[in-house]
Amino acid sequence: AQTVTQSQPEMSVQEAETVTLSCTYDTSESDYYLFWYKQPPSRQMILVIRQEAYKQQNATENRFSVNFQKAAKSFSLKISDSQLGDAAMYFCAYRSAPGYALNFGKGTSLLVTP
Amino acid sequence: KAGVTQTPRYLIKTRGQQVTLSCSPISGHRSVSWYQQTPGQGLQFLFEYFSETQRNKGNFPGRFSGRQFSNSRSEMNVSTLELGDSALYLCASSLVIDRVPETQYFGPGTRLLVL
């Protein structure tokens, strides 16, 4: 079974600064998808960004970008120009290409200070 | 386009009872997945439905079951509730291309408390 590890239970960043959240995963598959989801206090899980393993180019969505290192099985999320609204729990998730289930990490709680 | 909706949002039950949770997917999404979120175990996959068929199931006891209707709406049922079933139950829907689900979009969840 694939495992997803988020080694940082909590992170803190000042408004307007940049922060990077780490994620590693374990798989023997070559084709898969990786995701970052954000869960604010409302508990609504919101998709932040998605990366296909076959794409070498790192995904970017506005202030959010990833550093995908397939050989190292690493998938970090960089948040630039952090805003108060970015405060949330961030989950890294893995899904095999023909599969259905998302395997989630334990999450990283991000605190944004003014 | 409306998002994934889940009803009810909050539920309190007692041990031994059963409960049914409902999920309406985004229009056009035919795959529905269910997840359980607890502080101890985190987010765990329950099952996935497509075309009224359960295609995959996580490691949960038979007390957890579900179904999907022809309009893609889904329900999950938990029978003989235990205290450990207290959790946030999340539903996610996705488009399906070549029978493979695309990105999953989540509903707001149903918070179940078992007393």
Side-chain angles (χ1 to χ4, degrees), chain A residues 2 25 27-32 70 73 94-98:
Chain A
Q2 296 82 13
Y25 56 95
T27 185
S28 58
E29 298 172 335
S30 59
D31 197 10
Y32 49 87
K70 191 172 185 179
K73 297 179 183 175
Y94 169 102
R95 203 197 86 205
S96 61

Side-chain angles (χ1 to χ4, degrees), chain A residues 33 35 37 39 41-47 49-50 52 89 91-92 95-106, chain B residues 4 9 33 35 37 39-45 48 55-56 88 90 99-109 111:
Chain A
Y33 299 93
F35 305 84
Y37 282 90
Q39 189 178 43
S42 68
R43 309 295 272 170
Q44 172 87 49
M45 193 78 78
I46 301 164
L47 175 70
I49 204 163
R50 155 185 161 140
E52 291 88 345
M89 184 72 82
F91 291 96
C92 178
R95 203 197 86 205
S96 61
Y100 314 114
L102 288 168
N103 291 320
F104 286 90
K106 292 294 188 184
Chain B
V4 179
R9 294 292 311 277
S33 298
Y35 294 84
Q37 184 175 23
Q41 298 299 317
L43 283 147
Q44 293 184 286
F45 171 76
E48 187 261 356
R55 298 195 294 182
N56 199 14
L88 179 69
L90 293 165
R99 299 187 60 80
V100 178
E102 289 293 299
T103 298
Q104 295 180 24
Y105 295 90
F106 285 81
R111 183 172 293 281

Side-chain angles (χ1 to χ4, degrees), chain B residues 65-84:
Chain B
S65 63
R67 60 177 175 169
Q68 187 180 35
F69 302 94
S70 58
N71 61 359
S72 296
R73 189 178 70 85
S74 177
E75 290 181 346
M76 67 163 281
N77 184 77
V78 187
S79 62
T80 319
L81 283 166
E82 301 178 358
L83 296 179

Side-chain angles (χ1 to χ4, degrees), chain B residues 10-26:
Chain B
Y10 303 93
L11 209 47
I12 300 176
K13 292 285 187 179
T14 56
R15 278 184 302 173
Q17 287 187 309
Q18 75 166 17
V19 66
T20 299
L21 312 182
S22 180
C23 172
S24 292
I26 293 170

Side-chain angles (χ1 to χ4, degrees), chain B residues 30-52:
Chain B
R30 296 171 59 198
S31 170
V32 174
S33 298
W34 289 89
Y35 294 84
Q36 181 196 64
Q37 184 175 23
T38 60
Q41 298 299 317
L43 283 147
Q44 293 184 286
F45 171 76
L46 278 156
F47 27 64
E48 187 261 356
Y49 285 88
F50 172 69
S51 288
E52 304 176 60

